[in-house]
Structures are given as structure tokens and as C-alpha cells.
């Protein structure tokens, strides 16, 4: 895939947001969501400022883009992120239906400054009973009723 000058402009904005975040005490990550050649939303990591472990740059930018565009479906959008997305952010990008991901630093670069997600990838490969954080099924017979209700609902909004 060819990288355009416009791609570089958008990536530089993600990098600028990451740099600004570091200056104000946040994590070294920034992201912008682009639609039709225009930045719709941009954000930096705000985990420590917001006391929110999910407040990664990509998630913050996705949330802002969804609010601004009035939709949960970001098909037709592209995300530029200063670093290869972590597993959580990658999941959010897929759930948002973003078309393409451009990134600056790699996950190896992030690991070298102590942002290492390798343990999550390893955990996901393990059987549930061997994971560090136990997954314990409770009241599955009752919980499945909600899924049955959803399956029968005729006017549901699928996503």
C-alpha cells in the first residue's frame, strides 16, 4: 500500500498528540480518526489523568469520533495511531468497523519502554483454567435467557 503525503500529515498529528500527552504527564500515545480526508477526532492516552485503564488514545479517539458522527459504526474511517495498537485497542478498532490502521511505533518499540502487551497475547492462547485471572462461569442457565430474548427480538439493531 502506498503511503501518501496526506497519510504523513495525519500520522504527524497522532504523533503531536502523543508528544503533548507526554508533556502534560500522560502516556506516550496519540491517535486520530479520519473520514473523507478530514480528521474527525483525535486524542491521546489519558489513563493516568482519568484513572481509566481503557482510556488509550485509540479508544478515546474512537469514542469521540462516534459522538461527533452520531454512530457506532465507523465504516469509511481510517485510524492513525502513534503506536501499533494493543489488543484492547485492536479489538475496539475492529468493533468500530474502521477500514484501515496506520501506525508509527511497533509493539516491540512499546515493549522497550515498558509498555509490553505480550503477556496478554500469551494469556489469550492459554486454556481458561490456566489463565492468570480466573474466568468462573456463574448462572449460565439464567444468563442465556437474555440471549434468547435478543435472538427473538424482531426490532433489534444489530452491530
Amino acid at each position: 500500500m502506498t503511503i501518501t503525503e496526506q497519510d504523513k500529515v495525519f500520522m504527524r498529528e497522532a504523533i503531536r498528540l502523543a508528544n503533548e500527552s507526554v508533556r502534560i504527564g500522560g502516556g506516550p500515545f496519540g491517535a486520530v480518526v479520519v473520514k473523507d480526508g478530514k480528521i474527525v477526532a483525535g486524542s491521546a492516552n489519558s489513563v493516568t489523568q482519568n484513572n481509566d485503564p481503557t482510556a488509550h488514545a485509540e479508544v478515546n479517539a474512537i469514542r469521540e469520533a462516534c459522538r461527533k458522527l452520531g454512530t457506532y459504526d465507523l465504516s469509511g474511517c481510517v485510524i492513525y495511531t502513534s503506536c501499533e495498537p494493543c489488543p484492547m485497542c485492536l479489538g475496539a478498532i475492529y468493533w468500530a468497523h474502521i477500514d484501515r490502521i496506520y501506525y508509527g511505533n511497533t509493539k516491540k518499540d512499546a515493549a522497550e519502554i515498558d509498555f509490553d502487551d505480550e503477556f496478554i497475547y500469551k494469556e489469550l492462547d492459554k486454556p481458561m483454567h490456566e489463565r492468570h485471572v480466573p474466568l468462573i462461569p456463574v448462572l449460565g442457565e439464567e444468563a442465556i435467557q437474555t440471549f434468547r430474548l435478543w435472538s427473538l427480538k424482531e426490532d433489534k439493531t444489530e452491530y
Side-chain angles (χ1 to χ4, degrees):
M1 180 160 287
T2 304
I3 304 299
T4 68
E5 287 305 311
Q6 192 174 35
D7 292 325
K8 292 176 185 178
V9 167
F10 296 140
M11 181 57 72
R12 285 188 180 108
E13 178 59 12
I15 293 166
R16 186 194 69 74
L17 290 166
N19 288 336
E20 180 61 24
S21 180
V22 170
R23 277 193 279 284
I24 64 171
F29 305 97
V32 295
V33 175
V34 173
K35 183 169 182 150
D36 299 327
K38 294 185 175 127
I39 294 176
V40 174
S43 188
N45 177 292
S46 61
V47 169
T48 57
Q49 295 98 320
N50 295 349
N51 293 317
D52 179 353
T54 69
H56 290 201
E58 297 91 335
V59 171
N60 288 342
I62 287 168
R63 288 175 179 160
E64 182 183 341
C66 288
R67 274 192 305 273
K68 285 184 176 177
L69 295 173
T71 183
Y72 55 84
D73 185 344
L74 298 180
S75 296
C77 292
V78 176
I79 193 165
Y80 294 80
T81 178
S82 64
C83 185
E84 185 177 352
C86 75
M88 177 185 68
C89 292
L90 190 58
I93 290 165
Y94 274 86
W95 280 115
H97 304 287
I98 290 175
D99 293 354
R100 202 169 318 126
I101 305 164
Y102 293 90
Y103 66 92
N105 295 310
T106 66
K107 63 183 179 180
K108 182 178 182 289
D109 296 329
E112 289 174 4
I113 61 164
D114 295 325
F115 288 94
D116 191 351
D117 299 321
E118 189 59 32
F119 75 97
I120 296 173
Y121 293 107
K122 287 179 181 176
E123 281 288 297
L124 292 172
D125 282 339
K126 292 179 184 177
M128 280 200 249
H129 68 278
E130 291 181 16
R131 292 183 185 173
H132 179 75
V133 177
L135 282 90
I136 304 160
V138 179
L139 296 177
E141 305 81 27
E142 291 181 32
I144 199 68
Q145 295 303 321
T146 307
F147 282 7
R148 288 185 182 127
L149 285 171
W150 174 258
S151 294
L152 297 172
K153 187 173 175 61
E154 293 185 16
D155 63 342
K156 61 188 167 209
T157 302
E158 301 212 22
Y159 58 97

